[in-house]
């Protein structure tokens, strides 16, 4: 089992997602809409910013690299789907920010989250372990985090942050519960690949 320990200070700044790929996450608001309007909303509310914990522990990144290499050995085409070592992360929150004003509100919400998160941590560390792999919809390969007190705390932190952002009017989430995971490959990195390969 591989471990990483984090404090609030290790949370990534709000990062913009690469919005080049067409088929992406959705925030859930669009569920209310139908047909054409639904399609438009889906595009409109697609998450384009996220907050994550960078995973940089060399023991973890090199083990993931070994898994990626083994997969590529089986099928060279999948190399395009691999998440680079420097980009490995655990996503805490995704959101849709439409303009500079919303970006600055989100930056404020992130700053506000600090005290709440520190209250939750009560000076303790969150010690994340990674073990075993799984997938979402045969399209995203990820390393699992075992259920324990640490992941429960991480979930509390993610939910608290989501609430803080939502209270400020930020459109967050993808309409599903927080499930901590560490993505190491996703077919969405290549449109061609998604058409050709099923994991
Ligand atoms: P991430 O690891 O947050 O970069 O997410 C990688 C991909 O996994 C994105 O396309 C997400 O939409 C998708 N994803 C994240 N969490 C879930 C989940 N609980 N169920 C299904 N797909 C998910």
């Amino acid at each position: 089992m591989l471990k990483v320990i984090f404090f609030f200070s290790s949370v990534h700044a709000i990062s913009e997602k690469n919005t080049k790929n067409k088929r992406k996450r959705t925030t859930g608001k669009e569920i209310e809409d139908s047909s054409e309007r639904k399609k438009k909303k889906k595009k409109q509310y697609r998450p384009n910013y996220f907050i994550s914990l960078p995973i940089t522990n060399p023991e973890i990144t090199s083990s993931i690299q070994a898994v990626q290499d083994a997969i590529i050995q089986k099928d060279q085409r999948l190399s395009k789907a691999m998440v680079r070592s420097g980009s490995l992360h655990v996503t805490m929150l995704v959101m849709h920010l439409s303009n500079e004003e919303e970006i600055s509100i989100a930056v404020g919400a992130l700053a506000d989250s600090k005290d709440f998160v520190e209250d939750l941590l009560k000076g303790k560390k969150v010690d994340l372990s990674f073990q075993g792999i799984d997938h979402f919809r045969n399209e995203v390969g990820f390393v699992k985090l075992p259920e324990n007190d640490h992941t429960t705390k991480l979930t509390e932190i993610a939910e608290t942050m989501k609430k803080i952002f939502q209270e400020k009017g930020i459109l967050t989430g993808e309409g599903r519960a927080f499930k901590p995971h560490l993505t190491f490959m996703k077919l969405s990195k290549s449109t061609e690949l998604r058409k050709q390969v099923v994991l």
Side-chain angles (χ1 to χ4, degrees):
M1 190 176 293
L2 301 164
K3 291 186 172 186
V4 64
I5 294 172
F6 93 92
F7 296 97
F8 184 74
S9 58
S10 71
V11 172
H12 254 179
I14 294 174
S15 317
E16 188 170 11
K17 271 184 66 61
N18 178 351
T19 49
K20 266 191 255 166
N21 290 322
K22 294 285 182 303
R23 189 168 170 279
K24 278 285 162 191
R25 315 164 188 246
T26 54
T27 55
K29 176 152 186 184
E30 67 282 354
I31 288 164
E32 300 157 13
D33 306 308
S34 58
S35 63
E36 280 309 301
R37 276 183 56 226
K38 184 173 176 182
K39 273 187 208 155
K40 274 189 200 157
K41 293 273 177 193
K42 212 169 199 173
K43 198 171 176 205
Q44 193 176 343
Y45 295 118
R46 185 179 290 156
N48 55 354
Y49 284 80
F50 67 105
I51 293 173
S52 66
L53 303 172
I55 302 300
T56 55
N57 180 329
E59 207 188 329
I60 295 170
T61 56
S62 60
S63 298
I64 288 179
Q65 178 84 59
V67 172
Q68 292 175 324
D69 290 347
I71 293 170
I72 294 167
Q73 280 232 321
K74 293 241 174 218
D75 190 335
Q76 193 63 38
R77 293 174 300 171
L78 290 171
S79 62
K80 284 189 183 149
M82 298 304 167
V83 176
R84 280 180 297 107
S85 185
S87 299
L88 292 167
H89 62 269
V90 174
T91 301
M92 296 294 286
L93 183 66
V94 297
M95 67 196 91
H96 181 86
L97 305 176
S98 315
N99 51 44
E100 288 299 321
E101 192 193 344
E102 286 184 7
I103 292 169
S104 111
I105 293 170
V107 169
L110 182 61
D112 290 354
S113 303
K114 190 172 188 292
D115 287 347
F116 287 93
V117 174
E118 278 171 359
D119 271 1
L120 283 171
L121 288 171
K122 296 188 180 70
K124 292 192 184 142
K125 294 168 183 173
V126 172
D127 185 351
L128 300 181
S129 305
F130 297 88
Q131 192 175 37
I133 59 175
D134 203 348
H135 64 88
F136 295 130
R137 304 180 309 270
N138 286 333
E139 292 195 352
V140 177
F142 62 88
V143 183
K144 296 189 285 184
L145 283 80
E147 281 179 31
N148 55 31
D149 292 351
H150 294 279
T151 41
T152 300
K153 189 58 77 183
L154 190 72
T155 303
E156 265 183 80
I157 292 172
E159 285 170 356
T160 301
M161 290 180 75
K162 186 172 183 175
K163 199 162 159 249
I164 293 168
F165 278 71
Q166 283 179 342
E167 280 170 0
K168 296 216 169 214
I170 299 293
L171 190 56
T172 63
E174 297 180 278
R176 56 183 170 233
F178 176 69
K179 178 178 166 65
H181 64 275
L182 173 50
T183 297
F184 61 88
M185 67 182 291
K186 49 187 178 183
L187 298 186
S188 63
K189 283 173 73 69
S190 157
T191 320
E192 274 310 298
L193 210 49
R194 178 186 262 132
K195 283 186 207 152
Q196 293 168 23
V197 184
V198 174
L199 289 180

